[in-house]
Amino acid sequence: MPPSPVRRHRWPVIVVWTLLTLAGGVLGGGVYSQAQTVHQLAGSAESMRAGQRLQELIPEGPTVFAVVRGIQVYDPAIVQTVSDVAADLRQWPAVKEVGDPYTGAANSGIGDDNASILVRVELRTGSSDADVAAVAAELHKIKATNVLVGGQPLAEKAFTDQAVADAALGEGIALVALAILLIALLRWGAVVPLAAAAAAVTTTLLVLTGLARVTAVSDFTVNIVTLLGLGLAVDYALVLLWRYREELSLGRDRVEALATAVRTAGRAVLISGGIVAAAMAGLATFSQPLLAAMALGGLVVVVVSTAVALTLSPALIAVLGRRITPKAPAVTGGVLGRLTGVAQRNAGTVALAAVAGLLLLAAPFASVALGNSDVRALPASAESRQAYEAYFRLFQREHPDPVTVVLDGDAAGERMRDYLDHLNRLPGVAQLQLRFGTPAGATVVDLRPATAEGATALVRTVRGVPAPHPALVGGPAAELVDYQDSVRERLPYAFLILLAAAGALLFALTRSVVIPVKAVLLNLLTLAASLGVLAAVFGGRLDLTTPVLLFVFIFGLSTDYEVFLLARITEEHRAGAATTEAVRRGVARIGPVVTWAATGLIVVFLGFVAGRLVSVREIGVGMAVAIFLDVTVVRGLLLPASMELLGRWNWWPGGRPGRPAGRVPRPSPAGDGSASIDVTKITEP
């Protein structure tokens, strides 16, 4: 067999990827400073249009506030320091208005505990981040023992900073743990997956730094890139390296072994990368800025990771030469092999029990509360979060944010009075207020929900009430409703893209229609069970974006292991083995590396559980749980059990349905990975 092109040009390939990795390490960090807080909703959503119209009618600049707690409200020293700071801020060109209990409206800023005050500063429209930071620093000059400064612009900056810190922490933990794991497993061979991971992540960051100049790159995208880059690059490199070592153990020379590994394992990597890329495309179909930004980062890292696996990894294998030792093909297949044996011997019982168990795990998701992330996604120690919670408890009296109705028409007139009276009597409305300062020809109505839980229902009710003038309903609850509706509307399109891509690529791999359909169903079981576990872990409340991201990531990444297993099973089947024997042999060959790859991926995702952003931790926990369930219950038990039950029909229409199912021969007593039996010569009955 002729050497692969990558082997012939291994040094140029390594030099190119080394330069890209170095450039990514030096310049790729620029994406952190260029990343933006991207809104999850498109501008066409009704709540976004309501917000834009409200801004046109009553322009508001960024707001920064200080909650001063644990004081005697009219202590002369407190009155003096607050008044001095407020007077100073009123002289600043960037400041539009300052409100405080002493020089502003009487008692407007005294908390419910009578031991706290609120100082509120509104900046002019178009104020810079530097202006916001300067105002925050000035508010901190209030001489009191407990001054908490917060506001939306400060919370957004805190979120960005925390996302960067979480990415660095998660990546550091994951890299150290992966290095220890891979060195223990592969010795010198660990260079291949570790170098692949470094090249994939840094090169992707370099590409995103360039893209940030022309399009929005979300700060959350950085975390996603690190998660996917480490996971995919290590998985792909391990599969290629494992096949190469196996071919060496069968007596192939190094040139032929590498060519075979690239031709077989490389094809599986290419198909897997295609399915994960399709998953990212499915994420983009949701047409929301935040999801589109994450889809962009995910697509880039998938393409880069696949390219690294097919070029840099084989080039490094060629250069390492004899430092990479042969690995005898396993007879038992390790954990997956033992699970496969149990599943094949008790196919019906195992399939039923596995499905029932996964559905039981999925049950908590049926009652989960999905909401938008807000400042409470920050760590409890973050000042922005503490300031918000203090404001909400002491000054907003724990009332939910209002549902705002913006009408293009005056509040006068019988029809408008009837409309307002109808709104005031709606179930779930605690208070109706007209917004003062609205220009003539427009009306702004704030409806205070009686409970936070009833806010979204109130939005839908208000939108169903005929208005006397063109009306838009906005506010945080309306944004949540619009996001829920958008996801519900777009989810079928994303699913169809995933189904079509996975079906086409798995059909190309197996020449079967049944196997791709079954793979999709198994992936959905993994997803449902993982979401159920996640809902239970996080107390029944999740960020609305989390299930969408997990739907795409779990579907894409769990297909990795499906592809790796099916590639070997199909190879054995085409070599003449019937279904039972093909499954046993295939799992015996590829099972150990799938187990190790999954372990590495779980380590990567658990590294991000150490992060402090709730949304990042949700993704980390969800993916770790998903990979564990997928490799053990779904691929270890359900895949072989279902293939055993379907028998020859697994391969319809491209297989050979007339062949009998084979027996499962007992493994050699050696069964420790150093096989004394050449499994390629086990004949079929």
Side-chain angles (χ1 to χ4, degrees):
M1 181 179 293
S4 68
V6 173
R7 179 180 175 82
R8 290 198 302 269
H9 304 94
R10 53 192 178 275
W11 284 113
V13 168
I14 291 174
V15 168
V16 168
W17 280 111
T18 300
L19 292 175
L20 286 173
T21 302
L22 292 174
V26 174
L27 303 176
V31 73
Y32 292 99
S33 59
Q34 297 180 51
Q36 306 173 28
T37 300
V38 179
H39 203 283
Q40 63 185 14
L41 278 173
S44 59
E46 180 176 344
S47 56
M48 297 297 288
R49 289 186 286 122
Q52 179 61 36
R53 180 62 177 148
L54 186 60
Q55 184 67 11
E56 293 170 358
L57 294 172
I58 314 174
E60 291 186 357
T63 298
V64 180
F65 64 84
V67 177
V68 185
R69 300 187 300 176
I71 61 171
Q72 294 182 14
V73 172
Y74 289 103
D75 183 321
I78 291 294
V79 173
Q80 186 65 50
T81 185
V82 171
S83 299
D84 288 346
V85 169
D88 185 38
L89 285 169
R90 288 189 181 98
Q91 305 304 313
W92 291 20
V95 173
K96 178 181 178 181
E97 184 182 16
V98 180
D100 70 90
Y102 310 123
T103 56
N107 295 329
S108 62
I110 298 177
D112 286 352
D113 61 350
N114 289 320
S116 58
I117 62 169
L118 176 71
V119 181
R120 182 180 178 276
V121 181
E122 181 184 342
L123 286 80
R124 299 189 186 278
T125 304
S127 296
S128 66
D129 293 340
D131 293 329
V132 171
V135 168
E138 186 69 15
L139 289 173
H140 274 297
K141 292 181 181 179
I142 294 174
K143 297 176 182 178
T145 56
N146 194 326
V147 179
L148 296 172
V149 178
Q152 186 64 27
L154 294 174
E156 290 177 355
K157 185 178 185 305
F159 188 91
T160 300
D161 293 344
Q162 192 63 55
V164 173
D166 283 0
L169 176 64
E171 187 173 347
I173 293 174
L175 281 175
V176 171
L178 272 177
I180 294 172
L181 184 69
L182 292 171
I183 290 171
L185 173 67
L186 301 170
R187 300 291 188 268
W188 274 99
V191 170
V192 179
L194 290 175
V201 172
T202 56
T203 303
T204 301
L205 292 178
L206 181 64
V207 174
L208 290 179
T209 300
L211 289 175
R213 299 179 181 274
V214 296
T215 187
V217 173
S218 166
D219 41 27
F220 196 35
T221 300
V222 177
N223 300 82
I224 301 304
V225 162
T226 307
L227 285 170
L228 285 177
L230 287 174
L232 291 175
V234 169
D235 269 10
Y236 292 165
L238 275 177
V239 169
L240 196 74
L241 182 62
W242 197 271
R243 184 59 183 262
Y244 171 72
R245 296 177 69 198
E246 183 182 322
E247 292 298 320
L248 288 180
S249 72
L250 297 175
R252 274 69 162 176
D253 62 40
R254 295 186 179 275
V255 173
E256 184 180 3
L258 184 57
T260 301
V262 171
R263 177 175 54 83
T264 55
R267 182 168 181 260
V269 165
L270 188 60
I271 289 175
S272 176
I275 293 175
V276 181
M280 296 302 111
L283 185 61
T285 63
F286 286 99
S287 299
Q288 303 300 346
L290 177 61
L291 295 179
M294 285 188 273
L296 175 65
L299 185 60
V300 171
V301 78
V302 171
V303 172
V304 172
S305 298
T306 305
V308 166
L310 298 178
T311 55
L312 178 61
S313 293
L316 289 172
I317 291 172
V319 168
L320 287 171
R322 296 186 179 279
R323 290 185 177 89
I324 299 178
T325 57
K327 175 68 177 177
V331 171
T332 64
V335 174
L336 277 181
R338 289 190 287 273
L339 290 174
T340 295
V342 172
Q344 288 184 320
R345 289 191 295 271
N346 309 278
T349 302
V350 166
L352 184 62
V355 171
L358 291 170
L359 292 177
L360 184 63
L361 289 176
F365 187 68
S367 57
V368 73
L370 299 175
N372 286 328
S373 280
D374 55 26
V375 69
R376 288 169 292 186
L378 289 168
S381 60
E383 184 181 12
S384 290
R385 175 174 174 176
Q386 292 179 359
Y388 169 83
E389 290 175 337
Y391 167 76
F392 186 72
R393 183 177 67 256
L394 297 170
F395 300 95
Q396 199 170 339
R397 293 160 182 83
E398 301 195 12
H399 291 314
D401 290 317
V403 173
T404 302
V405 186
V406 184
L407 299 103
D408 286 331
D410 287 325
E414 183 178 352
R415 291 180 60 207
M416 179 64 87
R417 286 196 299 272
D418 290 343
Y419 175 71
L420 294 177
D421 185 57
H422 188 168
L423 293 183
N424 192 42
R425 290 185 287 106
L426 286 176
V429 173
Q431 185 182 39
L432 181 149
Q433 287 183 324
L434 291 176
R435 187 85 62 94
F436 294 108
T438 306
T443 304
V444 177
V445 183
D446 286 326
L447 300 172
R448 184 76 64 179
T451 63
E453 294 75 16
T456 55
L458 180 60
V459 169
R460 297 187 186 278
T461 302
V462 172
R463 285 179 174 174
V465 176
H469 303 289
L472 295 169
V473 179
E479 292 179 8
L480 178 58
V481 168
D482 288 340
Y483 193 69
Q484 289 173 334
D485 291 346
S486 174
V487 169
R488 191 178 298 112
E489 176 187 346
R490 296 282 180 169
L491 188 60
Y493 299 104
F495 181 73
L496 286 175
I497 289 175
L498 287 174
L499 182 62
L505 291 170
L506 288 174
F507 178 79
L509 178 69
T510 64
R511 295 294 186 269
S512 166
V513 172
V514 175
I515 287 177
V517 172
K518 181 160 55 66
V520 170
L521 295 176
L522 294 183
N523 284 356
L524 291 178
L525 279 173
T526 300
L527 172 67
S530 304
L531 291 176
V533 173
L534 191 63
V537 169
F538 285 90
R541 181 177 178 83
L542 298 175
D543 185 283
L544 181 60
T545 303
T546 297
V548 178
L549 291 177
L550 289 180
F551 166 70
V552 174
F553 293 161
I554 291 174
F555 196 100
L557 290 177
S558 64
T559 305
D560 264 3
Y561 304 120
E562 181 84 9
V563 169
F564 299 154
L565 288 165
L566 287 177
R568 291 309 294 265
I569 292 170
T570 302
E571 191 176 330
E572 296 295 335
H573 179 68
R574 289 177 180 168
T579 299
T580 299
E581 187 62 24
V583 171
R584 192 197 70 81
R585 293 186 194 177
V587 173
R589 293 289 186 86
I590 197 68
V593 71
V594 167
T595 303
W596 279 102
T599 302
L601 204 55
I602 290 172
V603 166
V604 169
F605 288 121
L606 287 179
F608 285 82
V609 176
R612 305 184 70 190
L613 283 180
V614 174
S615 51
V616 173
R617 290 168 57 202
E618 286 176 358
I619 297 294
V621 171
M623 289 304 304
V625 170
I627 297 302
F628 175 78
L629 291 176
D630 192 75
V631 170
T632 55
V633 180
V634 177
R635 311 302 161 190
L637 294 173
L638 263 179
L639 174 64
S642 62
M643 293 195 78
E644 184 73 12
L645 291 171
L646 289 171
R648 64 178 184 266
W649 298 108
N650 282 288
W651 311 101
W652 183 85
R656 294 175 296 165
R659 293 184 60 88
R663 294 194 306 269
V664 183
R666 294 184 179 277
S668 164
D672 56 0
S674 56
S676 58
I677 298 175
D678 185 352
V679 294
T680 62
K681 296 180 180 178
I682 298 176
T683 58
E684 184 138 342

